[in-house]
Amino acid sequence: MSSKDAPDRGMTGMTRDSIERVNTTGRRGFLTTAASGLAIGIAGCLRSDTNGGGTTSSDSTQHFGVSMKGMGQAGLFVQGQAAKWYTQDMSDVTVTVLDGQLDATKQNQDAINLINQGIDGLLLNPFDAKASTQIVEAATEADVPVMNFDTATLSTDVLLGAMFGQYRGGKVAAERFTELMEKRGMESATVITSVFNFESTTSQQRLRGFTENVPDSVEIVGRIESDGTAEASAPKTQSALQANPDVDAIYSNNVGSGMGALTALKQFGAYHKTDHDDHVMAFGIDGGPELNQEIGKGYYDFAIDQPLHMYAPLTLELLWAYLDSGQNALPEVDSTVTPGDNLAIENKTVFDIQPWSKQFWGPAEMRTYESDGTSWWPWLQCNHATITQDNADASYLYGNVARVYENNN
């Protein structure tokens, strides 16, 4: 994945007065391209169909679809629901969230049915990169703009994608682990890796990103595979610990495997805080409602957290800009998008917390998403948060958002 052969999506000679609009409810957003520094007022209700923004609604209400690959996990649930939470105070916006239940066929059928009913835009979190092209084809035929978030569809008709990057997640975890090794004066280390559903491209990339970026002195002494739940991964991790009783660390590439690692360490008698001499380092990708608390208590060293609950608001803001002002409103490849300066998510309060109080998704570089040797679409390469004891209870982490929501419902 890199930036090359990038399409020209930069702004032309527009002025603020010529492109700024205010809708009937006063909803405003803010977007600029880094190159031009021009500001665009994002108005979701008033749009011009002369700018390639799709068909215009017959009334003042816009209807958007969010097609999720699944909703059964806390991270996926928060990603989908964030679109509703963000728009719940907007009388001119309706959002329908679809649960694909981790089934490509179901996701395709449900999304295409919604497109056929008539929507103004679709946010797509695909289960399968290739199968989901059917959704994009149906949307394109219906003149419905599509943006990806978190995961990718291999279609050049996707307008833009907002993601962190799965390989990149493993790489960042490797870099953080290397820092901890240096801090502890460790010249070498042995590591058990715990991965979910290894037929998944996401799981493979998260593992490769880690193993290909740790120092040569790090030895991977075991790899366990499970369905990614704590229940399934814990006994396998315990067996790996029994085979490698002097292991230094466990890397988990999803939150369920991380919780399974902690359960196994408890059962193995090696559940110690980070300042204990016999502490086995445990860390990985993804925080979560319970895992964040374990980090806060000092039993789990760190987690690389994506801005999961920010993806839908980000892509909604970009869709509103596109519907109002066309492709020139989207940030161009090779620019840097900065929270507040270039693209803003409103800092709203939902169920008594502020999930978007710290927009750690940026600064984000605009790249071209590449896969299978093909350049697909402009990629807003979102940033990440590293969860440590210092910030484990922060309201801007999706795991804490999920926990508060669950406690209130």
Side-chain angles (χ1 to χ4, degrees):
M1 292 175 284
S2 63
S3 175
K4 66 179 184 179
D5 300 326
D8 182 9
R9 291 176 181 267
M11 287 167 50
T12 56
M14 295 185 293
T15 65
R16 182 184 181 107
D17 289 340
S18 69
I19 57 182
E20 184 175 88
R21 294 173 175 84
V22 181
N23 68 17
T24 55
T25 63
R27 173 164 51 83
R28 298 291 299 276
F30 185 66
L31 174 75
T32 66
T33 60
S36 67
L38 295 178
I40 299 177
I42 300 175
C45 288
L46 300 180
R47 16 188 283 244
S48 171
D49 58 359
T50 62
N51 289 315
T55 55
T56 304
S57 300
S58 59
D59 55 34
S60 61
T61 300
Q62 285 188 309
H63 185 191
F64 296 95
V66 179
S67 176
M68 295 296 304
K69 62 187 174 187
M71 295 280 281
Q73 304 166 8
L76 293 173
F77 177 81
V78 168
Q79 284 188 72
Q81 287 298 106
K84 286 197 169 185
W85 297 334
Y86 190 69
T87 59
Q88 65 185 9
D89 62 344
M90 299 178 183
S91 60
D92 59 336
V93 173
T94 299
V95 172
T96 298
V97 180
L98 303 173
D99 182 356
Q101 299 180 5
L102 303 181
D103 183 306
T105 300
K106 176 176 173 52
Q107 183 176 30
N108 285 2
Q109 290 174 343
D110 291 349
I112 292 171
N113 286 341
L114 184 63
I115 291 167
N116 290 338
Q117 293 172 26
I119 55 176
D120 294 280
L122 181 70
L123 307 184
L124 178 55
N125 166 241
F127 175 74
D128 187 279
K130 294 182 179 178
S132 58
T133 59
Q134 296 178 33
I135 298 172
V136 180
E137 288 171 2
T140 302
E141 185 175 343
D143 203 16
V144 173
V146 179
M147 290 187 180
N148 275 166
F149 66 83
D150 188 30
T151 49
T153 300
L154 300 185
S155 169
T156 55
D157 287 326
V158 172
L159 279 177
L160 181 146
M163 305 183 300
F164 174 56
Q166 307 304 334
Y167 181 93
R168 187 169 165 227
K171 182 176 185 290
V172 172
E175 292 168 348
R176 174 70 176 178
F177 173 54
T178 302
E179 292 174 1
L180 291 182
M181 285 181 59
E182 294 172 352
K183 184 177 180 180
R184 293 168 180 264
M186 299 171 62
E187 295 183 357
S188 62
T190 54
V191 179
I192 294 169
T193 60
S194 179
V195 303
F196 71 95
N197 300 335
F198 202 59
E199 69 277 7
S200 162
T201 301
T202 294
S203 184
Q204 294 170 18
Q205 290 178 339
R206 289 182 175 191
L207 179 63
R208 285 182 48 239
F210 177 74
T211 58
E212 293 177 4
N213 290 284
V214 292
D216 292 338
S217 61
V218 171
E219 180 184 3
I220 308 300
V221 296
R223 186 182 87 194
I224 66 165
E225 299 175 15
S226 71
D227 64 4
T229 64
E231 294 76 16
S233 61
K236 293 184 176 183
T237 307
Q238 188 176 10
S239 296
L241 287 168
Q242 290 170 346
N244 303 276
D246 297 322
V247 73
D248 295 303
I250 303 172
Y251 165 70
S252 302
N253 75 349
N254 81 316
V255 60
S257 299
M259 290 301 300
L262 290 175
T263 299
L265 288 169
K266 287 181 183 179
Q267 295 169 341
F268 191 66
Y271 181 66
H272 305 297
K273 292 186 177 182
T274 55
D275 58 357
H276 193 282
D277 290 341
D278 295 326
H279 172 71
V280 176
M281 286 187 278
F283 58 89
I285 298 179
D286 293 341
E290 297 178 33
L291 192 62
N292 289 6
Q293 294 179 307
E294 293 294 320
I295 296 172
K297 290 184 289 188
Y299 290 103
Y300 202 78
D301 291 75
F302 69 88
I304 303 303
D305 212 33
Q306 298 184 60
L308 297 182
H309 59 296
M310 302 182 194
Y311 286 139
L314 277 174
T315 43
L316 278 171
E317 290 287 357
L318 289 165
L319 261 179
W320 291 329
Y322 171 78
L323 293 172
D324 188 44
S325 301
Q327 289 189 355
N328 287 331
L330 300 180
E332 63 181 2
V333 171
D334 292 332
S335 66
T336 300
V337 182
T338 304
D341 293 338
N342 305 116
L343 175 61
I345 301 174
E346 291 184 46
N347 182 23
K348 300 182 179 184
T349 299
V350 294
F351 39 87
D352 298 325
I353 64 170
Q354 294 183 311
W356 305 292
S357 59
K358 182 175 180 179
Q359 297 184 33
F360 64 84
W361 61 266
E365 301 299 320
M366 286 299 302
R367 300 289 186 235
T368 297
Y369 182 77
E370 294 188 352
S371 181
D372 293 349
T374 302
S375 299
W376 297 103
W377 31 258
W379 172 21
L380 181 67
Q381 190 180 57
C382 294
N383 217 321
H384 71 282
T386 301
I387 309 175
T388 66
Q389 277 190 282
D390 293 335
N391 66 349
D393 62 349
S395 65
Y396 56 79
L397 300 172
Y398 96 82
N400 299 334
V401 175
R403 186 171 64 250
V404 173
Y405 176 83
E406 184 177 353
N407 290 340
N408 282 274
N409 291 273

